Amino acid sequence: MSLNKIIFDLIILIVLFDSISLGAQENIKDDRNVYVFASKGLNLRAQPDQNAEILRTIPYAKKLRIKEIDSKIISIDQKIGQWTHVSDEEMDGWVFGGYLLVTNPNELITKVYQEVKSINHKVYQSSSLKFSEKNITIKSTYGNYAIVTYPGTGLEPGMSSKIDSVWFYNGTTWNLYINDTKSGYEEKISDSYQNKSISLLLINDDLIPDFIISEYCCGSISNSQIFLSNLNLHQKFKSLSDLSFSKFTWTHLCGNNLYLFVSSKDDKTKQYRYDCKSNQLKINE
């Protein structure tokens, strides 16, 4: 291999790594604008504490300026984030960063609506569902990633499945998350009757969101799949048959975090934890 080829490959890797780091962390930098996506508003508190005084409730889609980020990553409402010191033209205080988005949430919802409608328009035309932007919700976000929920075909008139999808903001626009590697995760618009649930988590220690994906329908579970980030190229890490992801408990990065799955066979809960040193998912006894 020539020296020029080696240098070229190294440059590509450096650029890729830099863009990945930026994409993962862009919404937790100081001195930049973010937006509230909590549909019922977000509590502004006097201190970075869930029990601190509530100064007021910030409405949906309100633009805020970041002043400071607490270094500790926490979990509230099954969302990962950090306490964030923000301000607007009226006052400043602390909010949970798990409800902050890098763009106006309506921009993301409009993009999802347009993409889904263009692909599933025949399905919605023959369905009793009146598909609109009101049917779309933002489930969670971290960095430049967002999980957005839209309706599927449904099994009966008036019923529809719920499908989660992964979106990535490239600094200009939101797009479906696509991984160029063969074994990586690639998001596709679906009209499936199955429910598809995606959880955005920090399972390993690289601060890039990982995915747990469960598909289920009619009381039966197809499986759950775990995709771990590897230089932002999410690789399939583990498949768990007959298990649906339920919830997690959080301590800190690669701490004794528990991931709870429910069995479709007997409704029993199985607890797993991820060990960073061995890169293994272990059953918690």
Side-chain angles (χ1 to χ4, degrees):
M1 181 180 292
S2 68
L3 179 60
N4 289 338
K5 181 64 168 60
I6 294 174
I7 293 174
F8 177 78
D9 290 342
L10 286 174
I11 291 173
I12 293 298
L13 286 174
I14 292 170
V15 171
L16 175 62
F17 183 79
D18 287 344
S19 64
I20 287 164
S21 300
L22 178 62
Q25 298 298 320
E26 190 165 354
N27 81 323
I28 54 173
K29 287 184 177 180
D30 297 353
D31 194 32
R32 64 155 297 166
N33 293 327
V34 286
Y35 298 78
V36 174
F37 77 87
S39 59
K40 296 182 179 179
L42 183 61
N43 288 331
L44 181 73
R45 297 184 181 274
Q47 299 295 331
D49 189 298
Q50 202 169 1
N51 296 317
E53 176 191 358
I54 298 176
L55 302 176
R56 67 184 176 93
T57 300
I58 304 172
Y60 170 83
K62 176 70 175 179
K63 182 170 72 172
L64 302 169
R65 192 74 176 172
I66 292 181
K67 300 178 68 176
E68 181 184 356
I69 305 292
D70 189 81
S71 60
K72 184 179 180 181
I73 299 173
I74 61 172
S75 168
I76 297 177
D77 299 335
Q78 291 293 290
K79 293 175 173 57
I80 294 292
Q82 292 149 281
W83 283 109
T84 306
H85 191 190
V86 297
S87 65
D88 61 11
E89 63 277 4
E90 298 177 6
M91 65 173 63
D92 65 72
W94 293 84
V95 297
F96 173 55
Y99 282 105
L100 298 177
L101 194 67
V102 295
T103 68
N104 188 308
N106 294 323
E107 177 183 332
L108 172 55
I109 287 177
T110 297
K111 180 60 181 292
V112 175
Y113 172 73
Q114 292 171 344
E115 291 274 347
V116 174
K117 185 179 180 181
S118 67
I119 296 175
N120 290 348
H121 65 280
K122 290 184 178 180
V123 173
Y124 294 135
Q125 284 176 355
S126 60
S127 171
S128 60
L129 173 70
K130 295 182 179 179
F131 182 56
S132 70
E133 294 186 11
K134 293 181 179 180
N135 303 125
I136 298 171
T137 57
I138 300 173
K139 180 179 178 179
S140 60
T141 182
Y142 189 84
N144 285 24
Y145 292 83
I147 305 298
V148 183
T149 306
Y150 63 89
T153 57
L155 299 175
E156 300 176 6
M159 296 180 63
S160 65
S161 54
K162 291 184 178 180
I163 301 175
D164 287 349
S165 53
V166 183
W167 295 77
F168 183 80
Y169 185 69
N170 62 12
T172 303
T173 185
W174 288 96
N175 295 291
L176 280 169
Y177 177 75
I178 296 176
N179 188 332
D180 293 332
T181 61
K182 292 182 179 179
S183 61
Y185 183 71
E186 180 176 347
E187 188 61 75
K188 296 180 179 179
I189 296 297
S190 171
D191 64 356
S192 172
Y193 59 83
Q194 290 194 101
N195 292 284
K196 178 182 177 183
S197 175
I198 303 178
S199 295
L200 198 65
L201 302 168
L202 295 177
I203 297 176
N204 54 22
D205 59 357
D206 61 5
L207 290 176
I208 299 173
D210 307 298
F211 312 142
I212 297 182
I213 302 169
S214 297
E215 293 182 299
Y216 54 95
C217 171
C218 322
S220 63
I221 304 298
S222 54
N223 60 41
S224 290
Q225 297 181 348
I226 301 174
F227 287 82
L228 294 185
S229 57
N230 178 15
L231 284 181
N232 218 32
L233 303 176
H234 292 81
Q235 307 293 316
K236 184 185 291 186
F237 171 70
K238 192 80 172 178
S239 292
L240 300 172
S241 299
D242 298 314
L243 290 176
S244 176
F245 181 65
S246 174
K247 61 181 180 179
F248 68 96
T249 58
W250 174 265
T251 57
H252 52 82
L253 285 174
C254 281
N256 193 27
N257 304 316
L258 296 180
Y259 303 95
L260 281 65
F261 294 79
V262 178
S263 170
S264 59
K265 294 181 178 179
D266 53 18
D267 289 330
K268 291 184 178 180
T269 298
K270 292 187 177 181
Q271 297 183 352
Y272 291 84
R273 62 181 180 85
Y274 175 76
D275 183 73
C276 271
K277 293 182 178 179
S278 62
N279 189 34
Q280 292 183 345
L281 191 70
K282 300 180 178 180
I283 293 180
N284 190 61
E285 303 294 347

